[in-house]
Amino acid sequence: MKKLPLEIPGLLKQGISSLKVFTAYNHRLRLQDGEIFKVLRIARQNGMLVMAHCENGDVIDILVKEALQRGDMAPIWHARTRPAWGEIETILRMISLSAQAEAMVYIVHMTTSGGVNQVQRARQNGLAVMGETCPQYLFFTEKNLLQDDGAKWICSPPVRTEKDQDGLWQGLAHGNCRPFATDHCPFFFNVVTQSLMRAKKSQFRARSWEKNDFTKIPNGFTWCR
Ligand SMILES: [Zn+2]
């Protein structure tokens, strides 16, 4: 991130008033803590809102590498290589960075009851934190990833457990999980649809049927079953 902080005020002039930062997707989208702190501070100075994708990119990379080496490639390993604790820890870290930058932060697509707890605690302490969840995390769990067609339920962060669903519903009921958004990222599921759409030069891609390797399956729920 060399020029990014300098470019942020210019984005506001183009009508872009919110920014999304990532603590995962190493070597692609991820920013380091110091970079996120700078973004939060400059966003606050310019009246912009920072949204945060909270997962631990370092841990995910290690777990994915180890899973592939062991031959654990089924869709369930998408969730098992992106642990709930990674979300909980990075939500707390993001809250801490935003407090230090004296900026508001919006935690997107929360999946864990532990994450809701972090947001609740921050709000009780008067910090400017908002937490969002999405329907996929309220209605589906890791059990769906264990089905034969488990590839249909791959999204990032992953779907979790029934206990997490309870925590998210509680978060919605008490205003700690707000707003409720889709974060929709759809893919066609079957190869026939994929080839049809390719023939029509559609921008939409199909997720791979290669359920033998979870890292090759696009992240996002399906349109067609
Ligand atoms: Zn995200």
Side-chain angles (χ1 to χ4, degrees), residues 3-209:
K3 288 167 39 186
L4 190 53
L6 298 175
E7 293 171 351
I8 289 173
L11 295 175
L12 188 60
K13 290 183 189 124
Q14 296 171 40
I16 299 167
S17 59
S18 59
L19 308 161
K20 184 175 179 183
V21 296
F22 295 76
T23 56
Y25 303 112
N26 290 9
H27 312 299
R28 287 181 286 158
L29 299 169
R30 181 188 176 166
L31 297 184
Q32 299 301 319
D33 288 357
E35 295 169 327
I36 291 172
F37 174 74
K38 283 186 190 171
V39 171
L40 282 159
R41 201 166 50 181
I42 202 162
R44 186 247 303 162
Q45 289 163 348
N46 289 276
M48 302 170 83
L49 176 65
V50 173
M51 309 160 74
H53 175 122
C54 293
E55 295 187 284
N56 189 310
D58 291 343
V59 172
I60 290 168
D61 279 4
I62 291 168
L63 293 180
V64 167
K65 188 177 174 192
E66 290 174 351
L68 294 179
Q69 284 171 345
R70 288 194 308 270
D72 288 328
M73 297 183 181
I76 185 61
W77 287 96
H78 174 74
R80 290 178 181 166
T81 55
R82 309 181 86 91
W85 274 112
E87 174 174 296
I88 298 164
E89 172 264 318
T90 46
I91 287 176
L92 176 58
R93 183 150 39 106
M94 193 60 61
I95 291 169
S96 170
L97 288 169
S98 69
Q100 291 171 85
E102 299 178 7
M104 183 174 213
V105 70
Y106 177 123
I107 312 294
V108 294
H109 50 54
M110 294 199 304
T111 69
T112 60
S113 58
V116 175
N117 291 342
Q118 298 300 335
V119 171
Q120 180 180 12
R121 189 180 165 91
R123 291 170 66 86
Q124 285 170 346
N125 283 311
L127 296 175
V129 180
M130 282 196 294
E132 167 203 281
T133 193
C134 312
Q136 57 269 36
Y137 303 119
L138 296 171
F139 296 105
F140 301 107
T141 69
E142 290 175 0
K143 289 176 187 166
N144 295 103
L145 291 166
L146 289 166
Q147 296 172 195
D148 285 345
D149 58 353
K152 291 176 180 174
W153 282 272
I154 282 190
C155 58
S156 289
V159 289
R160 305 284 185 192
T161 65
E162 288 168 6
K163 182 170 172 287
D164 288 305
Q165 287 182 334
D166 290 343
L168 293 171
W169 281 111
Q170 288 291 320
L172 283 170
H174 296 117
N176 294 309
C177 227
R178 190 195 309 183
F180 180 59
T182 65
D183 205 313
H184 198 33
C185 180
F187 295 91
F188 289 107
F189 189 60
N190 67 57
V191 179
V192 175
T193 308
Q194 181 178 31
S195 44
L196 279 172
M197 298 310 288
R198 195 176 286 149
K200 291 180 182 173
K201 294 192 169 62
S202 167
Q203 61 177 310
F204 299 109
R205 290 176 292 154
R207 64 178 52 207
S208 170
W209 270 98

